[in-house]
Amino acid sequence: MFEFSIFLSVIFILSFLLLFWFIHHENKKEGNKDRLLTLVVVAILFSVIITIVFALFLFLIMGSTNVINTIFSLNINTNQLFVVSISFLIYWITIDNIFEKFFEYLLGENIFAVLSLAFSRVASFYIIGRIIKLDEVINMTISIGVTLIFLAIDMLYFFRNNNVLNR
C-alpha cells in the first residue's frame, strides 16, 4: 500500500507542477494578473482530479491482475502485483492507444480491430512480464487473463456504440 501512495503522490506532484506552470504561463500571455493563491488552488483542484482518474485506472488494472491471481492461485506477492499493475497502466495509457488507432485505421472500426488489439495486448503484457521477470506460467496466465478482462470491456463498449445490444 505504501508503493500505491508513493505512485499517486508522484502523479499528483507532477500534474500539479505541470498545471501550475501551464496556468501561470497562459495567465501571463493573456495579460491577466491573477493572484498566486488562485493559481495554486486551481492547479491543486485539477491535479486532484487527474490523480483520482489515475487511481481509478490503477484500481481497475490491479483488480484485474488480483482476480487472475486469485482464480488461478498464482501466489504473486503484493509488490510484484503492484509493479505489474503500474507497468500495464503505463502501457495502457501510452502505447495501447497507438495500437488501437493503428488497428482502427488498418481494419476499420469493427470487431476485427478489437480482437487484433487484444492479441497485441497479450503480446505486450507478456513482454512486460518478461521484463519484470515473472515466472513463465504466471506471466502467460496474467497476460491472457488481464487481456480477456479488457477484451470484455472493449466488446461491451463496441456493441453499445454500434447499437448491436439495443436491437
Side-chain angles (χ1 to χ4, degrees):
M1 200 60 176
F2 181 68
E3 295 89 5
F4 187 74
S5 301
I6 289 175
F7 177 73
L8 291 180
S9 298
V10 168
I11 294 296
F12 176 78
I13 290 169
L14 287 175
S15 62
F16 172 76
L17 292 173
L18 289 172
L19 284 170
F20 180 78
W21 173 81
F22 177 74
I23 294 169
H24 183 66
H25 179 38
E26 289 297 315
N27 204 14
K28 278 174 132 179
K29 193 163 62 170
E30 292 179 5
N32 295 343
K33 298 295 178 191
D34 289 334
R35 293 186 332 179
L36 185 62
L37 181 63
T38 305
L39 298 177
V40 169
V41 168
V42 169
I44 286 174
L45 287 175
F46 283 115
S47 297
V48 166
I49 292 170
I50 290 170
T51 305
I52 289 172
V53 169
F54 267 92
L56 291 175
F57 283 139
L58 186 59
F59 280 139
L60 172 74
I61 293 173
M62 218 166 156
S64 299
T65 53
N66 199 17
V67 164
I68 301 303
N69 183 29
T70 305
I71 288 174
F72 293 105
S73 301
L74 299 176
N75 298 324
I76 301 175
N77 64 27
T78 308
N79 290 336
Q80 225 175 6
L81 193 64
F82 186 72
V83 170
V84 167
S85 299
I86 287 182
S87 302
F88 286 1
L89 177 68
I90 291 170
Y91 165 78
W92 191 37
I93 291 173
T94 57
I95 300 170
D96 191 61
N97 289 321
I98 296 169
F99 281 134
E100 182 179 4
K101 296 302 176 195
F102 174 74
F103 289 128
E104 283 179 3
Y105 174 76
L106 193 64
L107 303 171
E109 291 186 32
N110 56 28
I111 198 75
F112 298 115
V114 175
L115 293 174
S116 299
L117 182 62
F119 285 123
S120 73
R121 282 181 182 152
V122 169
S124 299
F125 290 165
Y126 181 79
I127 291 169
I128 290 170
R130 294 288 294 178
I131 292 170
I132 295 173
K133 296 187 180 11
L134 287 177
D135 182 60
E136 197 71 31
V137 173
I138 292 173
N139 187 12
M140 189 56 85
T141 307
I142 291 283
S143 299
I144 292 172
V146 173
T147 299
L148 287 175
I149 292 171
F150 280 7
L151 179 63
I153 294 169
D154 286 343
M155 294 294 269
L156 288 173
Y157 182 76
F158 174 77
F159 289 141
R160 191 190 87 188
N161 282 348
N162 291 323
N163 294 323
V164 173
L165 295 177
N166 295 332
R167 291 182 185 170

